[in-house]
Amino acid sequence: MAGKGIRIERLRKRYGAGDTAVDALKDVNMQVAAGEVVGLIGPSGSGKSTLLKCLGAVIEPSAGRMVLGDEVIYDDGWKIGDLRTLRRDKIGFIFQAPYLIPFLDVVDNVALLPMLAGRSNTESRHLALELLEALGVAHRARGMPSQLSGGEQQRVSIARALVNRPPVILADEPTAPLDGERALGVIRILNHMARQYQTAIIVVTHDEKIIPTFKRIYHIRDGRTEEEVGQGVAFE
Amino acid sequence: MINLAGRDILHAWGKFVFTGVGLGLLIGVTLTMAGVYRGMVDDARVLLDNSAADLWVVQKDTLGPYAEPSSLYDDVYRGILGMPGVARAANVTYFTMQVRQGTRDVRTMVVGVVPGGPGEPGQPGYLVAGRRIARSHYEAVADVVTGFRLGERIQIRRDYYTVIGLTRRMVSSNGDPMVFIPLKDAQEAQFLKDNDAILQQRRRTLANPALNRPGVPGLAEAVIASQAKNPYVNAVLVQVKPGHLPQEVAERISRWKRLQVYTRAQMDAILVGKLIATSARQIGMFLVILAIVSAAIVAFIIYTLTLGKIREIAVLKLIGTKNRTIAGMILQQALGLGAIGFAVGKVAATFWAPVFPKYVLLEPGDAVLGFFAVMAICVLASLVAIRAALQVDPAEAIGG
Ligand SMILES: Nc1ncnc2c1ncn2[C@@H]1O[C@H](COP(=O)(O)OP(=O)(O)O)[C@@H](O)[C@H]1O
Ligand SMILES: [Mg+2]
């Protein structure tokens, strides 16, 4: 199971070189503990997507350090060898839309991840069902994604992000298409799952409805982060 | 691990089946084209087999009698018969013409053969009904493809013939069914155009003062009689005595007179290598075009299906799917499409081959070759889509 969450220090990212270079991230520092959900907010063009891609190990930062669990991922230009298996085993992703694989049924959409990690089909489906159960969508396990409601699909995508028990989950505007009640429902689930599976969850959002729920918020402006204390409105 | 390609095919089966059937019909046409070529080669071999000849004696410097016109005096065979190593020799004529039955005209290859018992060169080796030509006039043995039936009367030029036998798989290299008639009738039919031509010839002869002299009664009649006789045949078919090499006998005959002699192997080479060669090249071109069209269809469909899955591919990459797995998925889909197409094509070709006007010989070896060609084409065709998929950036799954 996960452990120490995620820590990044003095992360920088420069796109391009010379006169046209853009410093999208200038000095980013974050620390999210296992079991914690934090918000990442900032105006458009401030560097949120760039940071998410660095955290998600799809682009490499130009400098700075990132530690995931107790594993160093980046350290001032050095990076670990295999980012693909890192993404598979250590990072969960939740997107604006569920982005399920339309030709796989619900259980296999989730079970695909442990399968990719080399587990047997039976074991993978067992793990998948366990999470679908926890998220209240086990009864749709044999359905196809297109047969599910938007909310059900989003739960399946959360199950997918959790199934390999990653130390960190990155959520990119997970409530954008949802109304207030449902948006809060998703955040409630994320909080619950973070505690239950001891995962650090970073939620990139614009959504005014859910910002008050975070206990801690990282505000990013012009490529620099500032930590703020959130309202941490408790759920009923 | 689950098979992603298989799941996608099951999910979008309509597209795959629809495209597969279209591709399959193309493959069916391709298999049929190959079958037409095989059929032509086989027809040629059957033609040679049924001639029951070891040697073909034809006019000097010609590729006759099937590939080029050839003309020999009809008494040449006597000299050949007397040569050492020759068991039998028989005159034969070939000419293509319309044969009339009732109100129907059938394009046929009329073969003039020496009447005789089994084993006589020239006559068809086996009959499906009736008997062989025994009399020297007005009997005919027809290939069943002509549609003639036993006892029917058919008209060749001025004369009527009774169908006394039916044979099978006897067609010319053009695919025209054969009609066998006695040699003498054939010589006459080949020589005499029709009543009109005879009357004109007769009129011209009578009008010629050199041939129609009042002082020499009977001269004009004698000239007309000689004009009406045709002393030519197209070839002499020779059977070699056991214990003699056809090659040696052939050399002896060609030394004896200015004649061209072909062995069975040489005749085979002329028919397959020269006569069918143009058709073979044509069919070869068709096969190349069909292969290109099939490749284009597979490439287009697989590419379109892949472009429709760009976001899914980005997600798959983001969650750690190997490039190899994604490439494999696309490749398997292309192969799946090819397999559906091949199955449809094979079934289609098998069903429509019998109703083709030409003999279509579907050889299992060609089917195996075709299968591997289809698979190879599918592999090639999937490369574009695979390239596109491998270029997808996993970052695309994360918003901009
Ligand atoms: N691939 C890129 N190449 C060059 N500049 C980029 C690229 N991606 C983003 N940027 C720039 O980096 C800055 C931060 O962008 P981004 O991370 O998308 O911010 P946000 O997601 O907060 O809107 C912007 O100025 C943007 O133009
Ligand atoms: Mg953005």
Side-chain angles (χ1 to χ4, degrees):
Chain A
M1 194 154 289
K4 309 187 174 100
I6 184 170
R7 194 171 79 240
I8 54 177
E9 294 162 4
R10 301 180 315 279
L11 208 70
R12 294 200 283 126
K13 174 64 186 177
R14 167 175 290 189
Y15 287 115
D19 290 347
T20 57
V22 177
D23 285 306
L25 300 180
K26 290 167 184 160
D27 183 16
V28 172
N29 298 279
M30 286 176 91
Q31 176 153 20
V32 188
E36 192 185 13
V37 180
V38 303
L40 177 65
I41 61 174
S44 187
S46 57
K48 297 186 300 295
S49 295
T50 303
L51 177 56
L52 207 57
K53 286 171 190 172
C54 286
L55 295 173
V58 289
I59 62 174
E60 294 161 37
S62 312
R65 185 177 159 84
M66 168 164 149
V67 182
L68 189 56
D70 40 24
E71 199 174 1
V72 179
I73 310 303
Y74 307 117
D75 195 0
D76 279 325
W78 177 92
K79 66 168 174 89
I80 63 155
D82 189 352
L83 293 178
R84 182 181 62 79
T85 53
L86 176 80
R87 291 200 300 270
R88 185 188 71 196
D89 300 337
K90 300 281 173 66
I91 305 171
F93 293 93
I94 299 169
F95 312 103
Q96 274 186 32
Y99 287 1
L100 300 177
I101 307 298
F103 52 82
L104 297 181
D105 62 14
V106 164
V107 67
D108 281 347
N109 255 282
V110 178
L112 179 63
L113 279 91
M115 287 179 192
L116 286 173
R119 291 179 192 255
S120 76
N121 289 5
T122 320
E123 194 187 355
S124 301
R125 290 195 179 115
H126 186 78
L127 287 170
L129 278 171
E130 198 179 297
L131 272 154
L132 292 172
E133 192 83 53
L135 285 153
V137 280
H139 62 293
R140 307 308 302 266
R142 279 293 157 194
M144 295 307 279
S146 58
Q147 299 165 330
L148 271 59
S149 72
E152 285 172 329
Q153 289 186 32
Q154 187 68 292
R155 283 159 186 255
V156 175
S157 81
I158 295 172
R160 178 173 66 183
L162 280 162
V163 69
N164 276 345
R165 310 292 155 86
V168 64
I169 287 179
L170 307 174
D172 183 15
E173 308 260 14
T175 61
L178 305 178
D179 63 32
E181 198 50 47
R182 285 169 204 222
L184 287 175
V186 168
I187 293 302
R188 187 167 3 180
I189 291 168
L190 289 181
N191 274 284
H192 183 75
M193 292 295 150
R195 273 197 307 278
Q196 185 173 344
Y197 294 101
Q198 281 302 294
T199 299
I201 299 184
I202 299 171
V203 180
V204 174
T205 191
H206 274 113
D207 192 345
E208 298 294 339
K209 305 183 290 290
I210 64 167
I211 290 173
T213 68
F214 300 114
K215 291 198 184 82
R216 287 199 304 131
I217 293 169
Y218 285 94
H219 210 121
I220 181 164
R221 286 185 195 88
D222 191 25
R224 291 170 210 278
T225 41
E226 283 165 31
E227 190 184 334
E228 292 169 9
V229 177
Q231 291 169 260
V233 173
F235 299 107
E236 68 280 5
Chain B
M1 186 62 197
I2 42 183
N3 184 306
L4 293 173
R7 294 297 190 88
D8 194 15
I9 290 178
L10 286 181
H11 185 248
W13 65 269
K15 271 181 208 165
F16 276 89
V17 167
F18 198 70
T19 318
V21 168
L23 181 66
L25 295 179
L26 260 169
I27 293 170
V29 170
T30 310
L31 292 174
T32 309
M33 300 297 294
V36 165
Y37 172 71
R38 296 289 183 204
M40 279 162 59
V41 171
D42 200 60
D43 277 346
R45 303 237 155 100
V46 169
L47 171 66
L48 297 183
D49 284 344
N50 282 315
S51 304
D54 299 316
L55 300 174
W56 281 256
V57 181
V58 300
Q59 186 181 343
K60 185 81 180 159
D61 299 327
T62 71
L63 296 171
Y66 312 114
E68 258 180 14
S70 148
S71 184
L72 297 174
Y73 281 109
D74 61 5
D75 55 4
V76 165
Y77 86 98
R78 289 207 195 95
I80 294 171
L81 258 182
M83 305 197 70
V86 173
R88 301 199 212 195
N91 285 327
V92 67
T93 65
Y94 298 95
F95 57 102
T96 300
M97 67 169 301
Q98 307 280 350
V99 171
R100 178 165 278 264
Q101 193 280 308
T103 53
R104 195 159 69 91
D105 274 334
V106 182
R107 192 184 142 89
T108 66
M109 166 86 95
V110 175
V111 186
V113 293
V114 178
E120 191 68 48
Q123 289 222 35
Y126 57 87
L127 300 179
V128 290
R131 59 171 177 83
R132 305 166 65 83
I133 295 171
R135 287 192 239 137
S136 32
H137 288 297
Y138 309 128
E139 289 187 339
V141 170
D143 188 281
V144 285
V145 173
T146 57
F148 303 153
R149 271 169 298 200
L150 281 184
E152 272 181 350
R153 283 167 64 73
I154 57 176
Q155 188 187 356
I156 300 173
R157 301 243 197 260
R158 290 177 303 165
D159 298 321
Y160 288 90
Y161 296 77
T162 308
V163 178
I164 51 133
L166 292 175
T167 183
R168 215 163 54 80
R169 292 290 315 283
M170 294 298 289
V171 296
S172 75
S173 51
N174 287 329
D176 299 324
M178 290 183 169
V179 172
F180 297 84
I181 61 173
L183 182 77
K184 288 209 175 70
D185 292 347
Q187 278 178 293
E188 206 172 311
Q190 189 173 15
F191 184 64
L192 296 174
K193 302 285 174 284
D194 47 39
N195 281 334
D196 225 33
I198 297 164
L199 289 175
Q200 280 196 18
Q201 174 88 54
R202 193 184 173 84
R203 200 177 307 127
R204 240 183 285 132
T205 306
L206 292 174
N208 188 337
L211 298 177
N212 191 8
R213 295 188 196 167
V216 191
L219 174 62
E221 287 309 315
V223 169
I224 287 165
S226 82
Q227 279 170 342
K229 273 192 81 174
N230 171 17
Y232 297 105
V233 292
N234 300 119
V236 177
L237 303 177
V238 175
Q239 284 173 2
V240 173
K241 274 186 189 147
H244 289 262
L245 284 176
Q247 188 59 48
E248 284 171 6
V249 179
E251 277 163 20
R252 217 170 285 145
I253 297 171
S254 50
R255 266 202 306 274
W256 169 60
K257 270 199 175 160
R258 285 183 51 79
L259 294 169
Q260 190 84 44
V261 186
Y262 294 114
T263 60
R264 165 69 208 243
Q266 289 168 327
M267 214 60 216
D268 194 290
I270 289 172
L271 274 180
V272 176
K274 296 227 164 58
L275 206 53
I276 300 178
T278 314
S279 309
R281 271 199 301 277
Q282 229 162 14
I283 288 172
M285 273 305 293
F286 268 117
L287 294 187
V288 169
I289 292 168
L290 287 170
I292 292 171
V293 173
S294 310
I297 290 178
V298 176
F300 178 76
I301 290 299
I302 294 296
Y303 186 67
T304 312
L305 288 176
T306 303
L307 286 193
K309 286 198 293 272
I310 288 295
R311 203 191 59 204
E312 283 79 16
I313 289 170
V315 171
L316 283 171
K317 283 186 167 187
L318 187 71
I319 64 178
T321 310
K322 288 183 188 131
N323 274 344
R324 203 186 336 130
T325 308
I326 290 167
M329 172 175 92
I330 294 167
L331 182 66
Q332 286 173 49
Q333 290 184 338
L335 293 178
L337 199 54
I340 297 174
F342 184 81
V344 171
K346 184 77 186 84
V347 170
T350 309
F351 269 95
W352 69 42
V355 296
F356 251 62
K358 274 212 165 196
Y359 176 56
V360 179
L361 178 58
L362 298 173
E363 289 194 352
D366 288 344
V368 172
L369 205 72
F371 179 77
F372 285 111
V374 168
M375 290 298 145
I377 285 171
C378 288
V379 171
L380 282 179
S382 66
L383 291 182
V384 193
I386 288 176
R387 214 180 94 93
L390 293 187
Q391 279 173 349
V392 173
D393 185 354
E396 279 175 40
I398 297 174

